[in-house]
Amino acid sequence: MFDVSFWELLVIGVIALIVVGPERLPGLMRTLGLWVGRARATFYSVRDEIEREANAQGLRDTQRALRDTERDLREGVQSTTDSVRSEAERARQGVEEAAGAAQAGNQAGTSTGDDDATQHRGDQAER
């Protein structure tokens, strides 16, 4: 805080001894010590409060960053899920269309085969 050397304190002590006198000097030193202690306690209290506020602000910033990251992750997962669902739906529709086409082809082949068999029987009956 303040840079006070030993010699500066000695000079202040000698001046105080001359001005106040040897009878009241111990009381003055005690009072001065109390005031210095209170000043230090106040200083440390203010410093601790500022540090707590700075830490709280840092925690709030971290919490905000975590919320933003969580939101971004949720959006990414949601978009991935939506694209997978749409691709699965397209694949399902493709399979249904292919199955429908195959079934229609089987029905057409079966009816054509029946017609051929019937015609073949008719040809044999004529012979």
Side-chain angles (χ1 to χ4, degrees):
M1 203 156 89
F2 295 110
D3 187 25
V4 180
S5 69
F6 171 75
W7 295 109
E8 291 170 341
L9 287 175
L10 184 65
V11 169
I12 292 171
V14 169
I15 292 172
L17 181 63
I18 293 170
V19 172
V20 176
E23 302 89 31
R24 295 190 305 177
L25 188 60
L28 177 67
M29 294 306 251
R30 208 174 9 251
T31 305
L32 184 63
L34 288 173
W35 281 100
V36 169
R38 288 179 186 166
R40 278 188 183 170
T42 303
F43 171 74
Y44 289 132
S45 172
V46 169
R47 187 186 69 182
D48 290 343
E49 190 173 323
I50 289 171
E51 286 178 359
R52 276 195 303 268
E53 186 62 32
N55 288 339
Q57 182 63 35
L59 290 175
R60 283 192 290 269
D61 292 344
T62 302
Q63 186 180 25
R64 188 176 306 120
L66 286 174
R67 272 193 237 130
D68 292 345
T69 303
E70 177 190 15
R71 185 188 66 239
D72 293 344
L73 286 174
R74 284 183 188 269
E75 290 172 357
V77 167
Q78 186 63 40
S79 67
T80 303
T81 303
D82 292 343
S83 67
V84 167
R85 281 185 182 154
S86 66
E87 289 297 322
E89 182 62 27
R90 279 191 222 136
R92 185 187 61 79
Q93 288 175 351
V95 167
E96 287 177 355
E97 289 174 2
Q103 188 177 17
N106 285 342
Q107 288 177 353
T110 305
S111 62
T112 305
D114 287 344
D115 290 342
D116 290 341
T118 306
Q119 185 178 16
H120 182 64
R121 280 187 217 130
D123 290 340
Q124 284 180 352
E126 289 177 10
R127 287 189 201 166

